Amino acid sequence: MKTILQAFLEGDGFPNELVIDAHTHIGRGFDGSRYIEEAAQRALTRMDAVGINASCVMGSQYLIEGDYREGNNDLLWLHEHYPDRFVCFTSINPHDKKENVLAELQRMYDAGIRGIKLINAYQNYPSNGPVLWALYEFAAERELIVLNH
């Protein structure tokens, strides 16, 4: 009987194992893809090549610059088209107004997204800032997962 490592090294992936990648970024522009459909296909090809059943995914290019809602729109597309392969984590920019952040969190929650990905250190925003406290309360009330990079 092969070990998991032997099977993987021989190109058989991880037979009889559920494998979930816990931290992947995906989106238009992140890997050269122009469209989310293309990014999804590239990600699925890589996942299938190494035996990954599902990936926890976060948006990419919109986290620091631009409108984070656009990255979240990509995640909604993934959530709709590949719900068994991508576990989506919404992202926000804490420098936005608190009411805008909460509205986006509600929009994503209403669509079925149950995780939030923060990168506030890269956004130069304190973990105990007022917008993130509002986010933490939102997440706690709805029992959402919060991942902070």
Side-chain angles (χ1 to χ4, degrees):
M1 177 178 211
K2 292 181 187 179
T3 67
I4 293 173
L5 178 59
Q6 287 171 323
F8 179 77
L9 292 175
E10 292 176 12
D12 295 331
F14 300 98
N16 305 314
E17 298 294 332
L18 174 64
V19 179
I20 300 174
D21 180 344
H23 187 155
T24 302
H25 291 270
I26 192 170
R28 292 172 281 152
F30 185 69
D31 64 355
S33 301
R34 294 185 60 203
Y35 305 99
I36 189 58
E37 299 86 351
E38 181 184 3
Q41 287 306 310
R42 286 182 180 194
L44 290 167
T45 298
R46 289 189 302 267
M47 291 164 60
D48 291 343
V50 295
I52 295 174
N53 301 98
S55 288
C56 297
V57 295
M58 297 82 188
S60 57
Q61 73 277 26
Y62 299 101
L63 298 176
I64 297 173
E65 296 178 1
D67 187 349
Y68 57 91
R69 292 168 199 84
E70 289 298 314
N72 287 335
N73 287 340
D74 286 349
L75 296 174
L76 290 177
W77 188 90
L78 293 170
H79 180 71
E80 179 182 332
H81 289 87
Y82 299 101
D84 295 333
R85 300 298 306 270
F86 297 114
V87 179
C88 299
F89 282 66
T90 190
S91 297
I92 57 97
N93 186 332
H95 293 288
D96 198 355
K97 295 177 184 176
K98 179 169 61 173
E99 56 269 18
N100 292 344
V101 167
L102 291 173
E104 181 65 0
L105 292 172
Q106 188 65 53
R107 176 178 85 105
M108 297 299 284
Y109 179 78
D110 290 346
I113 306 300
R114 298 296 183 258
I116 302 168
K117 166 69 182 307
L118 301 177
I119 61 162
N120 56 290
Y122 293 99
Q123 296 165 319
N124 295 313
Y125 191 89
S127 293
N128 62 351
V131 170
L132 290 187
W133 274 115
L135 179 146
Y136 302 145
E137 290 172 357
F138 181 95
E141 290 169 2
R142 292 160 183 82
E143 299 181 338
L144 301 178
I145 297 168
V146 177
L147 173 64
N148 194 337
H149 194 120

